[in-house]
């Protein structure tokens, strides 16, 4: 499947700002299931400089600075991506066995996935998340089977309500309300998995959505998406790198694969929930992969508008 993603972001500032430094997570990562054919980033006003880097988690990040007064910021990202359906995932490792991998033991080898076990800005480990996950994570159950069951429960028991939460809404609140958006559902699932001692990461990206029958596809009507991936050590691993992807063998890390879980749509799959998904970036939670963030020199009051279009191309 070939997809074109157009992501438009526009800030209108109440007062002139003297300058700004921004970072953008808008460049799709390379994986065995997706290849970026084209990527362009346009910034208005024109930045004094812009450079591409790789962050701690292997994501591509664009940094840019505006060194003169301005009252708006417009960022358009256009990416053409070729995706492939995920292969079958054969894993029987019990979830308790995976949890034991991350229990500290003196002299034990370090597993890079352990950075996704601990609490982060939007993900806390608390007893209420263990209680909610327990019906899915029964003794001896395979990790993939248990994680899929928990994903399906969140999908069926939580209501999708646009505008019902904000970026800073705690996952504990979402668990109580049983309502939110894809970012909230991903954070709840992360809290459950990490509270059980498992390694799980936040995935930001896009999903191809279809218009209602007989209705045209509206440009800018889509939105960015979020889901979760859980570390499964008996699945083959792939290490994303700039410009391609290489299989992880004896001399590379991490050792183990990632199984993706989308509680918003109850879609799952090894390395991706489906070929209609595009992975943009991975991190511990939303705070690591915010599409655009930065520092302004001057007044920060603003209005924000975002438009996303995901469409198939020939």
């Amino acid at each position: 499947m070939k997809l074109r993603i157009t992501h438009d972001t526009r800030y209108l500032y109440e007062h002139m700002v003297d300058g700004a430094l921004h970072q953008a997570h808008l460049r799709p990562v390379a994986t065995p299931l997706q290849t970026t054919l084209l990527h362009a980033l346009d910034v208005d006003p024109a930045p004094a400089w812009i450079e591409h880097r790789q962050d701690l988690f292997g994501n591509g990040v664009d940094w840019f600075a505006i060194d003169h007064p301005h009252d708006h910021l417009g960022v358009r990202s256009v990416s053409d991506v070729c995706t492939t359906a995920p292969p079958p995932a054969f894993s029987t490792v019990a979830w308790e066995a995976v949890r034991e991998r991350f229990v500290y033991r003196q002299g034990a080898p370090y597993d890079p996935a352990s950075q996704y076990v601990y609490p982060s800005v939007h993900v806390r480990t608390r007893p209420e998340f263990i209680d909610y996950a327990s019906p899915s994570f029964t003794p001896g159950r395979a990790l993939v089977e248990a994680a899929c069951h928990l994903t399906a429960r969140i999908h069926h028991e939580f209501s999708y309500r646009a505008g019902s939460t904000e970026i800073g809404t705690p996952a504990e609140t979402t668990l109580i309300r049983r309502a939110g958006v894809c970012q909230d559902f991903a954070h709840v699932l992360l809290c459950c998995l990490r509270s059980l001692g498992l390694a799980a990461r936040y995935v930001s990206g896009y999903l191809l959505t279809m218009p209602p029958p007989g209705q045209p596809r509206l440009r800018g009507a889509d939105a960015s998406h979020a889901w979760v991936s859980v570390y499964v050590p008996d699945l083959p691993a792939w290490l994303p790198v700039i410009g391609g992807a290489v299989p992880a063998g004896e001399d590379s890390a991490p050792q183990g694969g990632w199984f993706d879980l989308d509680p918003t749509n109850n879609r799952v799959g090894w390395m991706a929930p489906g070929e209609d998904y595009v992975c943009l970036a991975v991190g511990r939670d939303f705070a690591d992969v915010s599409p655009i963030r930065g520092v302004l020199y001057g007044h920060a009051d603003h209005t924000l508008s975002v438009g996303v279009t995901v469409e198939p191309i020939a």
Side-chain angles (χ1 to χ4, degrees):
M1 181 176 288
K2 292 183 179 179
L3 302 173
R4 173 165 294 166
I5 301 102
T6 304
H7 191 145
D8 287 304
T9 306
R10 187 167 182 82
Y11 291 89
L12 293 177
Y13 304 124
E14 184 175 336
H15 303 283
M16 283 283 188
V17 296
D18 296 325
L21 175 65
H22 295 277
Q23 67 172 13
H25 283 96
L26 291 169
R27 184 185 298 257
V29 298
T31 78
L33 300 185
Q34 70 178 42
T35 301
T36 301
L37 308 174
L38 172 151
H39 175 76
L41 188 71
D42 294 321
V43 180
D44 175 39
W49 57 263
I50 184 168
E51 66 177 56
H52 178 67
R53 305 176 187 174
Q54 189 176 24
D55 70 9
L56 173 67
F57 308 104
N59 306 307
V61 184
D62 291 288
W63 288 82
F64 58 90
I66 302 172
D67 62 356
H68 57 272
H70 54 286
D71 62 1
H72 70 278
L73 172 66
V75 179
R76 165 169 281 196
S77 169
V78 178
S79 302
D80 289 354
V81 181
C82 182
T83 65
T84 304
F90 301 103
S91 172
T92 58
V93 61
W95 71 268
E96 297 99 331
V98 180
R99 177 189 61 191
E100 287 302 306
R101 293 175 63 95
F102 301 109
V103 175
Y104 175 77
R105 295 180 178 85
Q106 185 176 2
Y110 171 74
D111 191 322
S114 63
Q115 66 180 317
Y116 297 108
V117 174
Y118 304 104
S120 54
V121 174
H122 297 290
V123 177
R124 300 175 179 86
T125 54
R126 299 176 65 95
E128 54 262 45
F129 292 112
I130 297 177
D131 293 340
Y132 182 75
S134 293
S136 299
F137 284 80
T138 53
R141 194 173 195 180
L143 171 55
V144 168
E145 181 183 342
C148 289
H149 187 267
L150 177 59
T151 299
R153 286 177 52 215
I154 294 174
H155 173 73
H156 292 297
E157 297 173 9
F158 287 58
S159 299
Y160 187 94
R161 295 179 188 168
S164 62
T165 58
E166 300 177 348
I167 291 176
T169 299
E172 295 90 334
T173 301
T174 304
L175 182 64
I176 294 170
R177 294 178 179 173
R178 298 290 202 271
V181 296
C182 58
Q183 175 185 292
D184 302 303
F185 301 161
H187 283 152
V188 167
L189 182 53
L190 285 173
C191 288
C192 290
L193 294 171
R194 291 192 201 163
S195 294
L196 291 168
L198 300 168
R201 62 190 186 182
Y202 185 96
V203 187
S204 70
Y206 307 100
L207 170 63
L208 175 65
T209 57
M210 302 305 295
Q215 298 294 318
R217 180 180 296 278
L218 300 178
R219 296 194 60 81
D222 294 321
S224 56
H225 194 46
W227 61 98
V228 170
S229 58
V230 63
Y231 179 80
V232 184
D234 64 340
L235 291 179
W238 292 85
L239 181 66
V241 296
I242 297 297
V246 296
E250 293 182 358
D251 298 325
S252 57
Q255 299 297 319
W258 294 89
F259 190 82
D260 283 33
L261 310 155
D262 178 7
T264 303
N265 297 289
N266 196 22
R267 299 274 303 278
V268 301
W270 175 27
M271 297 185 287
E275 66 178 340
D276 46 349
Y277 286 73
V278 172
C279 174
L280 194 59
V282 299
R284 292 164 297 186
D285 57 38
F286 175 80
D288 288 331
V289 297
S290 175
I292 298 177
R293 65 189 308 173
V295 177
L296 304 179
Y297 301 98
H299 293 279
D301 292 338
H302 65 270
T303 59
L304 169 65
S305 60
V306 179
V308 176
T309 300
V310 183
E311 54 192 341
I313 58 176

